[in-house]
């Protein structure tokens, strides 16, 4: 009895039908960008200082320039104003008093400038930014700066909880139903974000958006890898992730054109409603239909595929069997992930690498948002390096293997973070180059952990293993805003030192994992324990379900 892969070899593994499906799903992948890294623009933190009543009138009377006004009226300004006092404290004096000197205003008010009391910004802040962001609208600075961390952590908490539930929906009700329902929910939450007036509701909606949006992305990932033949699955999976990088470029351009966060949110959300047209454009996954025993519906889709690809359906292919229906029915258990030495080592190292990849990837993007320089150009440069990262992966994984490129990617990312931290601020262009190298390294590491994870677990526990390990990705996403936004207040480049340590340790740990290039995928725990002795060519038929498992619970 032929398998679906046997039929795809005859009707086309990556022909017109699959290319059309791949293209329209790549649009979905690109649209995930504003949810995942939107905090860079939605939560942009401009230069700010306390608003002091009477200062503007005094400055106009005295004919001060802006720099003179700031030096006279802002604590510890000294020409830059990047300290806590200059941003979050103001002089406790009455600038509306009469007889204030224009040459030494504080001296004329209190006599000794060093004894002027400082107080909180009771009347709000002045922001040096022509647009609006969450920070400027809700004053998420100084004592309330942690609320911006919570805004980004909430979406990652949604990723964490939603990945399990959405994965179940995709397996229970189908890829297409999961895709369309999460598209609709994500679009509704995105529109509501534009109009809700309070910070609390914004955080709640952001959490709900996280609950469905990553599941929407992974449902697309599952579907695109399930309609192509075995030879193209890995490449298609990597290119689907590369479409996310294209989304970064588009998002950057839109954010540059629309510097007001609510209008920006509306602009990036509206296209999501057009994705509902996928109901008529996308097929259900024939592999999922087969797994549910709906072979007739699967065969109809395969027939449509053959017609679209201008291929003839072989007459002797009358039935299809599900590739994994004969796999032993062992019951997966969490204990199995750590019961034996090799499984325990694999699990702990993979969990750490998922965590590190998320922290470094999101952390570098957030740190760039609070760095000096042109935010839009820096974001553009760092997004562009994701394309060579994908190319390097495609070229090296089947030639060199997984372990050494993966370890090198982590080590390069960690070392680049250290170099970036040590470069002086006045050589900004060099800091940008070093940060981009780090971004390329961690992008490679992130994409590689996705499929190597699936190659290190036996079949019966592969789903569970990937789900547990990849959950650390979202845990890292919850923590990283606090790492970045709190530590920059101590030292601007301190987060980069943390990233350096995490990245270098991750690179060293990867070298302790077995190489999976050219190896048969393990079927039992015993196979994993003896993995280093295997040398047979890798079986390919199971790879679809490997990718599916990973994507469903990423």
């Amino acid at each position: 009895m032929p398998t679906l892969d046997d039929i795809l070899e005859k009707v086309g593994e990556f022909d017109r039908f699959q290319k059309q499906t791949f293209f329209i799903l790549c649009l979905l992948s690109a649209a995930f960008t504003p949810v995942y890294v939107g905090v860079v623009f939605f939560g942009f933190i401009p230069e700010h200082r306390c608003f002091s009543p009477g200062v503007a009138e005094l400055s106009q009377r005295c004919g001060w320039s802006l720099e003179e006004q700031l030096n006279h009226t802002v604590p510890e300004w000294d020409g830059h104003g990047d300290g806590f006092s200059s941003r979050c404290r103001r002089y406790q004096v009455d600038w509306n008093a009469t007889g204030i000197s224009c040459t030494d205003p504080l001296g004329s008010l209190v006599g000794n400038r060093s004894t002027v009391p400082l107080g909180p910004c009771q009347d709000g802040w002045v922001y040096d930014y022509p647009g609006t962001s969450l920070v400027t609208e809700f004053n998420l600075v100084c004592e309330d700066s942690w609320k911006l961390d919570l805004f980004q952590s909430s979406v990652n908490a949604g990723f964490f909880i939603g990945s399990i539930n959405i994965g179940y929906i995709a397996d229970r009700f189908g890829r297409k139903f999961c895709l369309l329902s999460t598209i609709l929910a994500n679009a509704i939450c995105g529109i509501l974000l534009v109009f809700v007036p309070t910070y609390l509701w914004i955080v709640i909606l952001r959490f709900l958006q996280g609950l469905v949006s990553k599941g929407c992305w992974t449902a697309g990932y599952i579907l695109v890898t399930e309609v192509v033949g075995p030879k193209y699955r890995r490449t298609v999976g990597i290119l689907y992730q590369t479409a996310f990088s294209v989304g970064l470029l588009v998002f950057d351009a839109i954010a540059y054109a629309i510097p007001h966060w609510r209008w920006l949110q509306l602009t990036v959300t509206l296209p999501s409603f057009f994705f509902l047209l996928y109901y008529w454009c996308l097929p259900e996954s024939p592999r999922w239909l087969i797994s549910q025993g709906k072979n007739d519906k699967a065969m109809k889709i395969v027939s449509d595929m053959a017609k679209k690809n201008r291929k003839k359906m072989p007459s002797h292919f009358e039935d299809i069997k599900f590739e994994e229906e004969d796999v032993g029915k062992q019951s997966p258990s969490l204990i199995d992930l750590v019961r034996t030495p090799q499984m325990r080592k694999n699990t702990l190292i993979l969990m750490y690498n998922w965590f590190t990849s998320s922290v470094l990837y999101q952390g570098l993007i957030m740190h760039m948002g609070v760095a000096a320089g042109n935010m839009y150009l820096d974001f553009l440069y760092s997004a562009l390096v994701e394309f060579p990262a994908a190319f390097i992966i495609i070229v090296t994984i089947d030639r060199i293997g997984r372990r050494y490129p993966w370890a090198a990617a982590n080590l390069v990312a960690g070392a680049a973070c250290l170099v970036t931290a040590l470069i002086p601020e006045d050589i900004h262009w060099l800091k940008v180059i070093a940060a981009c190298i780090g971004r390329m390294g961690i992008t490679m590491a992130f994409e590689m952990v996705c499929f190597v994870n699936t190659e290190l677990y036996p079949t019966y526990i592969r789903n569970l293993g990937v789900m547990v390990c990849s959950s650390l990705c979202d845990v890292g996403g919850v923590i990283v805003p606090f790492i970045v936004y709190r530590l920059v207040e101590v030292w601007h480049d301190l987060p980069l030192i943390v990233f350096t340590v995490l990245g270098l340790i991750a690179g060293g740990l990867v070298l302790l994992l077995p190489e999976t290039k050219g190896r048969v995928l393990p079927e039992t725990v015993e196979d994993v324990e003896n993995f280093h002795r295997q040398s047979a060519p890798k079986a390919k038929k199971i790879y679809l379900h490997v990718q599916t498992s990973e994507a469903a619970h990423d």
Side-chain angles (χ1 to χ4, degrees):
M1 188 181 294
T3 66
L4 182 58
D5 285 343
D6 295 330
I7 297 179
L8 286 176
E9 289 180 6
K10 302 296 183 181
V11 302
E13 294 186 80
F14 190 61
D15 217 320
R16 291 180 63 189
F17 182 92
Q18 289 91 343
K19 288 175 182 176
Q20 175 182 303
T21 303
F22 172 68
F23 174 75
I24 59 180
L25 285 174
C26 279
L27 297 178
L28 188 71
S29 178
F32 179 53
T33 303
V35 179
Y36 198 66
V37 298
V39 67
V40 175
F41 300 115
F42 297 140
F44 175 61
I45 309 172
E47 285 297 327
H48 52 278
R49 59 188 179 275
C50 292
F51 173 74
S52 298
V55 165
E57 293 78 4
L58 177 62
S59 177
Q60 186 176 10
R61 178 173 68 82
C62 293
W64 290 336
S65 66
L66 177 61
E67 191 62 32
E68 288 174 325
Q69 173 189 318
L70 298 176
N71 282 328
H72 285 311
T73 62
V74 178
E76 300 180 15
W77 180 261
D78 297 330
H80 51 81
D82 58 358
F84 176 79
S85 293
S86 62
R87 290 175 171 175
C88 301
R89 292 292 178 264
R90 72 178 190 183
Y91 292 122
Q92 294 284 67
V93 296
D94 181 9
W95 295 107
N96 289 310
T98 57
I100 299 178
S101 168
C102 289
T103 56
D104 185 16
L106 284 175
S108 64
L109 283 169
V110 296
N112 187 350
R113 180 171 183 146
S114 62
T115 61
V116 181
L118 300 181
C121 303
Q122 296 175 342
D123 296 292
W125 285 262
V126 176
Y127 297 97
D128 296 331
Y129 184 53
T132 60
S133 71
L134 279 164
V135 172
T136 63
E137 181 172 333
F138 296 102
N139 289 324
L140 307 184
V141 292
C142 301
E143 286 79 5
D144 285 336
S145 59
W146 61 271
K147 292 182 179 180
L148 181 61
D149 310 5
L150 184 61
F151 169 76
Q152 181 62 12
S153 294
S154 64
V155 74
N156 280 280
F159 291 161
F160 178 72
I161 298 172
S163 61
I164 300 173
N165 298 323
I166 301 301
Y168 170 78
I169 292 173
D171 288 339
R172 177 67 180 83
F173 300 103
R175 318 314 192 201
K176 188 173 179 178
F177 174 82
C178 177
L179 195 72
L180 293 171
S181 59
T182 52
I183 285 173
L184 179 61
N186 183 45
I188 292 173
C189 289
I191 291 294
L192 290 176
L193 270 171
V194 178
F195 299 104
V196 291
T198 64
Y199 166 80
L200 177 60
W201 273 110
I202 285 174
V203 171
I204 292 172
L205 286 169
R206 186 71 170 167
F207 169 77
L208 294 176
Q209 204 172 27
L211 206 62
V212 296
S213 59
K214 192 174 182 181
C216 181
W217 186 89
T218 53
Y221 182 94
I222 294 169
L223 184 54
V224 78
T225 54
E226 288 186 338
V227 297
V228 301
K231 291 189 296 186
Y232 295 94
R233 283 180 201 134
R234 186 186 296 115
T235 301
V236 163
I238 292 172
L239 292 178
Y240 180 78
Q241 296 177 65
T242 305
F244 176 85
S245 303
V246 176
L248 292 174
L249 302 180
V250 176
F251 184 43
D252 185 43
I254 296 173
Y256 177 76
I258 306 175
H260 300 278
W261 84 268
R262 289 188 185 269
W263 285 108
L264 176 61
Q265 174 68 35
L266 180 65
T267 304
V268 298
T269 300
L270 285 177
S272 297
F273 287 98
F274 290 100
F275 293 144
L276 295 174
L277 298 175
Y278 284 6
Y279 178 83
W280 292 278
C281 302
L282 284 179
E284 179 55 91
S285 166
R287 297 179 189 274
W288 178 80
L289 291 170
I290 295 168
S291 72
Q292 301 298 305
K294 301 177 181 180
N295 284 17
D296 291 342
K297 292 183 178 180
M299 287 303 294
K300 184 180 185 306
I301 292 174
V302 171
S303 297
D304 293 340
M305 192 182 299
K307 184 178 179 180
K308 182 81 173 179
N309 292 343
R310 297 175 182 174
K311 300 288 180 69
K312 188 174 181 180
M313 184 79 167
S315 58
H316 60 281
F317 286 164
E318 298 177 355
D319 199 4
I320 314 173
K321 68 175 181 180
F322 186 42
E323 284 91 329
E324 292 189 326
E325 66 183 2
D326 297 326
V327 173
K329 301 295 183 182
Q330 294 173 274
S331 298
S333 167
L334 283 171
I335 299 299
D336 290 340
L337 297 176
V338 294
R339 189 192 307 277
T340 58
Q342 189 67 42
M343 286 284 288
R344 183 163 53 248
K345 182 174 75 172
N346 291 354
T347 298
L348 294 176
I349 293 176
L350 287 168
M351 290 173 74
Y352 179 80
N353 269 270
W354 274 107
F355 175 82
T356 300
S357 295
S358 177
V359 168
L360 264 68
Y361 185 85
Q362 293 192 54
L364 284 173
I365 293 176
M366 292 178 197
H367 188 265
M368 176 195 56
V370 297
N374 188 312
M375 172 180 62
Y376 301 103
L377 281 178
D378 292 350
F379 192 91
L380 172 66
Y381 299 146
S382 63
L384 287 173
V385 300
E386 295 198 4
F387 296 96
F391 176 76
I392 293 171
I393 292 174
I394 293 173
V395 169
T396 59
I397 55 175
D398 287 328
R399 291 174 172 83
I400 301 175
R402 281 79 157 135
R403 185 170 56 175
Y404 291 120
W406 185 15
N410 275 307
L411 294 173
V412 166
C417 288
L418 178 61
V419 171
T420 305
L422 297 178
I423 295 174
E425 289 291 340
D426 54 356
I427 317 179
H428 182 69
W429 63 271
L430 191 57
K431 287 180 79 76
V432 172
I433 291 175
C436 286
I437 293 173
R439 175 76 171 273
M440 182 171 67
I442 201 58
T443 299
M444 287 181 59
F446 214 156
E447 294 188 6
M448 293 192 76
V449 70
C450 288
F451 60 83
V452 174
N453 195 156
T454 63
E455 298 175 339
L456 289 174
Y457 283 118
T459 301
Y460 83 97
I461 204 173
R462 190 168 291 127
N463 247 13
L464 181 64
V466 173
M467 183 188 74
V468 171
C469 293
S470 64
S471 66
L472 269 292
C473 166
D474 300 321
V475 173
V478 171
I479 295 173
V480 69
F482 295 93
I483 294 177
V484 174
Y485 295 128
R486 293 312 101 223
L487 294 186
V488 292
E489 295 182 356
V490 179
W491 174 38
H492 189 273
D493 289 326
L494 184 56
L496 296 176
I497 303 300
V498 176
F499 299 159
T500 297
V501 175
L502 293 175
L504 295 179
I505 293 175
L509 290 176
V510 165
L511 295 174
L512 300 178
L513 293 173
E515 176 58 64
T516 57
K517 172 180 173 284
R519 304 293 181 87
V520 175
L521 289 174
E523 296 291 339
T524 65
V525 172
E526 185 178 7
D527 290 343
V528 174
E529 295 303 308
N530 299 319
F531 210 178
H532 62 284
R533 302 173 187 169
Q534 297 181 20
S535 58
K538 182 185 290 185
K540 292 185 178 179
K541 282 184 182 177
I542 204 170
Y543 188 76
L544 167 86
H545 302 288
V546 171
Q547 288 282 35
T548 299
S549 302
E550 182 275 318
H553 299 286
D554 185 359

